[in-house]
């Protein structure tokens, strides 16, 4: 970082704060913080969902995967369009029709208050650990290396910036700043790819300098890292959980102006996910062509930046990495504040609370969540000798089967009962986490030949579905709840046509790269 780099970084933060303050002035006085007065347009939704999904660890990990295996890891980006479409046409119409603030609130309409309570605490724990603590841990390492400050100070810097927008303007400020930050991310990443391709000698030269299987999306089942069958069967479990049932991801859709904007916004996210391969994975492939002797693939992204970008652009890259962090953390803080305030505080303690009081509590929860996240981040950093970020992310993958099973059966099967849903969310979650721990840290006496991680996720999902069906069919509880009806107004031919176009493009891409 040279003088010009610091200047550019300062300009980035000045613009970011200005947009956040301007966005907060667009919020109605006394209006709700959490869903931006349900006023978000398609571009706010698309950039917010994509921005929440992007993090500096994703940039670095994607370039590393590109360096070692080519574009095959792009399945986790391109395959997602199926489940984003499921959100657009199956889940979103019901979420918006029910006019809910949170997904636990929605499942409370389907299964009752007990399920809502379980899901609320479930969501809070997931947001604090996965979205806040782990994102801060990854980002704190980056900040610490640049500024040479302790981890707690690094986390505090990121949280102060993110919490500022969340407390000042709620979801509206987060959404507006996400548009600015994601546009910056696209520009900088595109420049890196163009400069890299120019240094290699063009696309044809790049193809000649890397192995031919670097351009194949489906690997044989004998491939240890990316076999096609576990991805085909296992990713849907993760996809439904992540794109359709996670509060941090879905909240921009809940805040849509209407169903048309929600469906257009999710469609825009699907188009943006196509860019993941070109902007995140391709730099790693270019790095392999330029620096094939690089010993640590995790250094592929920063190696490209260090060797290809002049003074000034380095500061811009650091601004982009910071933008990814602020985007993810801001969305997570808003989701945490929404769920705790609406599903726990208001529902159980102050159902008659005024909007002003609800906003006040939401801001307090934002501060409390930020402080707790700092404590967890420092605790994670104090444990040495283990890549806890990757381990925790893998463990969180075992949370997907219960959530996916409950939401899918809850939507598509009227006979699914509350007892079955609560069983999956409690006992099912414990069972999945125990399996995950045994998978990641197998004891000496356990010589079981584990299947691939993604296939194991599918097996757990199938087991939970069978258990829920059996419980529902034998459940003697006479209490029944109706599946919330989807909203009928707002279906758009334009949105439907764009989704059909996206599906055709995705099928063409898969055919071309196989």
């Amino acid at each position: 970082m040279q003088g010009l780099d610091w200047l550019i970084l300062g300009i980035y933060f000045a613009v970011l704060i200005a947009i956040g303050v301007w966005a907060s002035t667009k919020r109605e006085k006394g209006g709700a913080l959490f869903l931006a007065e349900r006023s978000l347009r398609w571009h706010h939704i698309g950039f917010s969902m994509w921005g929440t999904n992007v993090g500096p660890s994703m940039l670095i990990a994607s370039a590393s995967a590109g360096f070692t295996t080519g574009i095959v890891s792009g399945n986790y980006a391109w395959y997602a369009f199926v489940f984003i479409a499921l959100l657009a046409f199956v889940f979103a119409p019901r979420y918006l029709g029910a006019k809910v603030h949170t997904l636990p609130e929605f499942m409370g309409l389907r299964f009752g208050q007990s399920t809502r309570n379980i899901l609320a605490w479930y969501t809070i724990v997931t947001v604090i650990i996965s979205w806040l603590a782990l994102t801060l841990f990854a980002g704190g390492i980056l900040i610490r290396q640049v500024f040479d400050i302790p981890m707690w100070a690094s986390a505090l810097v990121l949280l102060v910036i993110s919490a500022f927008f969340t407390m000042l303007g709620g979801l509206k400020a987060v959404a507006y700043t996400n548009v600015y930050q994601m546009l910056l991310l696209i520009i900088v990443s595109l420049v890196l790819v163009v400069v890299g391709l120019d240094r290699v000698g063009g696309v044809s030269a790049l193809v000649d300098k890397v192995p031919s299987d670097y351009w194949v999306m489906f690997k044989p089942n004998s491939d240890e890292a990316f076999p096609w069958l576990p991805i085909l069967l296992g990713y849907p479990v993760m996809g439904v959980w992540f794109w359709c049932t996670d509060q941090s991801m879905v909240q921009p859709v809940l805040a849509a102006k209407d169903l048309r904007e929600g469906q257009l916004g999710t469609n825009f996210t699907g188009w943006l996910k196509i860019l993941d391969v070109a902007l995140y994975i391709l730099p790693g492939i270019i790095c392999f062509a330029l620096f094939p002797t690089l010993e640590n693939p995790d250094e592929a992204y920063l190696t490209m930046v260090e060797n290809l970008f002049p003074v000034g652009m380095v500061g811009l890259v650091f601004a982009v990495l910071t933008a990814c962090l602020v985007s993810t953390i801001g969305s997570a803080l808003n989701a945490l504040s929404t769920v705790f305030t609406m599903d726990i505080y208001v529902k159980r303690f102050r159902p008659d609370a005024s909007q002003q009081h609800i906003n006040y509590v939401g801001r307090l929860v934002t501060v409390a969540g930020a402080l707790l996240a700092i404590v967890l981040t420092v605790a994670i950093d104090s444990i040495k000798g283990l890549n806890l970020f990757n381990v925790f992310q893998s463990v969180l993958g075992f949370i997907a089967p219960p959530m996916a099973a409950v939401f899918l059966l809850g939507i598509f099967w009227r006979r699914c009962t509350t007892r079955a849903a609560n069983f999956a969310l409690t006992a099912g979650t414990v069972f999945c986490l125990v399996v995950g721990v045994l998978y990641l840290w197998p004891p000496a006496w356990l010589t079981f030949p584990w299947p691939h991680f993604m296939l194991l996720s599918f097996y757990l999902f199938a087991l939970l579905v069978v258990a829920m069906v059996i419980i529902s069919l034998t459940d003697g509880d006479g209490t029944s709840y109706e599946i919330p009806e989807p909203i009928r107004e707002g279906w758009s031919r334009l949105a439907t046509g764009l989704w059909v176009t996206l599906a055709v493009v995705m099928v063409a891409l898969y055919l071309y790269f196989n």
Side-chain angles (χ1 to χ4, degrees):
M1 295 279 289
Q2 305 298 319
L4 184 58
D5 296 310
W6 289 109
L7 176 62
I8 290 176
L9 188 60
I11 293 173
Y12 155 74
F13 279 118
V15 174
L16 182 67
I17 292 172
I19 293 176
V21 172
W22 172 77
S24 68
T25 64
K26 305 292 287 185
R27 186 172 65 88
E28 294 179 11
K29 187 176 182 180
L33 287 174
F34 306 129
L35 294 185
E37 294 99 27
R38 302 187 192 273
S39 63
L40 296 189
R41 303 294 302 274
W42 62 270
H43 52 287
H44 300 130
I45 296 168
F47 278 125
S48 289
M49 292 184 69
W50 193 52
T52 303
N53 183 218
V54 175
S57 57
M58 178 181 172
L59 293 179
I60 294 171
S62 296
S64 175
F67 186 93
T68 55
T69 60
I71 67 170
V72 64
S73 61
N75 278 295
Y76 297 105
W78 286 2
Y79 198 2
F81 90 94
V82 176
F83 310 101
I84 303 174
L86 190 66
L87 169 63
F89 292 103
V90 176
F91 288 95
R94 287 175 167 81
Y95 293 158
L96 294 176
K99 298 187 183 307
V100 295
H101 289 80
T102 69
L103 300 188
E105 181 183 357
F106 176 82
M107 294 310 285
L109 298 176
R110 173 64 179 90
F111 291 117
Q113 186 61 34
S114 60
T115 304
R116 180 177 181 178
N117 291 339
I118 294 170
L119 262 180
W121 286 109
Y122 190 107
T123 301
I124 287 169
V125 171
T126 302
V127 169
I128 291 175
I129 294 177
S130 64
W131 288 105
L132 289 177
L134 293 175
T135 301
L136 285 171
F137 175 62
I141 293 175
L142 178 70
I143 301 290
R144 182 170 58 185
Q145 289 174 344
V146 175
F147 292 95
D148 193 24
I149 58 178
M151 175 60 78
W152 68 267
S154 303
L156 181 62
V157 168
L158 292 169
L159 278 169
V160 166
I161 299 170
S162 304
F164 170 77
F165 301 122
T166 306
M167 295 174 65
L168 185 67
L171 183 60
K172 180 167 286 189
V174 172
Y176 278 53
T177 53
N178 276 347
V179 173
Y180 159 66
Q181 297 188 111
M182 292 306 102
L183 286 173
L184 183 63
L185 170 64
I186 291 173
I187 293 170
V188 173
S189 299
L190 184 61
V191 170
L192 182 63
V193 170
V194 171
V195 172
L197 283 174
D198 181 69
R199 182 71 63 90
V200 171
V203 175
S204 59
L206 177 64
V207 172
D208 293 337
K209 291 183 179 180
V210 301
S212 58
D213 66 348
Y214 268 41
W215 308 107
V216 176
M217 291 295 289
F218 281 137
K219 300 278 188 178
N221 268 332
S222 57
D223 186 87
E224 292 185 3
F226 297 99
W228 71 269
L229 186 60
I231 291 176
L232 189 66
L233 295 178
Y235 183 80
V237 181
M238 301 288 293
V240 169
W241 167 61
F242 187 79
W243 292 106
C244 302
T245 74
D246 185 271
Q247 180 73 28
S248 297
M249 289 303 306
V250 176
Q251 188 144 331
V253 178
L254 300 180
K257 183 178 180 181
D258 50 38
L259 179 60
R260 178 180 182 274
E261 295 295 333
Q263 291 178 334
L264 288 174
T266 51
N267 177 262
F268 186 40
T269 304
W271 288 104
L272 289 172
K273 290 299 292 179
I274 296 178
L275 299 179
D276 284 12
V277 173
L279 299 182
Y280 307 151
I281 297 175
L282 190 57
I285 300 175
I286 295 172
C287 185
F288 180 84
L290 293 174
F291 312 101
T293 59
L294 183 67
E295 295 183 0
N296 184 2
D298 290 340
E299 297 176 357
Y301 186 85
L302 294 180
T303 298
M304 290 281 287
V305 171
E306 181 182 357
N307 288 276
L308 300 183
F309 275 174
V311 173
M313 284 299 291
V314 175
L316 200 55
V317 169
F318 185 69
V320 164
L321 295 176
T322 307
C324 295
L325 286 163
V326 171
S327 176
T328 301
I329 295 169
S331 299
L333 284 173
N334 192 67
L336 173 69
S337 177
T338 305
V339 171
F340 184 90
T341 304
M342 302 306 298
D343 288 311
I344 296 176
Y345 180 79
V346 173
K347 180 64 179 178
R348 301 189 63 181
F349 302 108
R350 289 288 300 274
D352 59 343
S354 66
Q355 187 60 60
Q356 184 179 5
H357 182 72
I358 291 173
N359 289 347
Y360 172 74
V361 173
R363 292 186 174 102
L364 289 181
V365 173
T366 299
V367 174
L371 294 175
L372 181 58
I374 291 176
V375 173
L376 289 175
T377 303
V378 174
I380 292 172
D381 186 54
S382 66
I383 303 175
K384 308 299 181 183
L386 193 62
N387 188 339
L388 285 179
F389 185 79
N390 290 336
V391 170
F392 268 101
Q393 287 292 70
S394 299
V395 170
L396 288 170
F398 289 93
I399 292 177
M403 290 286 282
V406 168
F407 272 80
L408 287 175
L409 286 184
I411 291 293
F412 289 106
W413 191 39
R414 292 187 178 277
R415 294 191 61 182
C416 186
T417 65
T418 300
R419 186 171 285 121
N422 291 350
F423 170 82
L425 291 173
T426 53
T429 297
V430 172
F431 175 73
C432 289
L433 289 178
V434 169
V435 172
V437 170
L438 293 176
Y439 179 87
L440 291 165
W441 299 284
W445 52 266
L446 186 64
T447 57
F448 179 77
W450 291 100
H452 188 274
F453 165 76
M454 300 298 286
L455 198 58
L456 181 59
S457 182
F458 172 75
Y459 290 154
L460 291 171
F461 168 77
L463 183 63
L464 285 176
V465 168
V466 171
M468 289 179 66
V469 169
I470 293 173
I471 293 172
S472 296
L473 293 178
T474 58
D475 194 350
D477 185 4
T479 305
S480 62
Y481 298 90
E482 291 296 322
I483 300 175
E485 289 293 325
I487 191 172
R488 302 299 180 185
E489 301 81 18
W491 286 83
S492 166
R493 290 185 178 180
L494 174 62
T496 303
L498 288 173
W499 269 109
V500 171
T501 304
L502 177 60
V504 171
V505 170
M506 296 308 304
V507 171
L509 285 172
Y510 267 101
L511 291 174
Y512 181 78
F513 285 104
N514 281 287

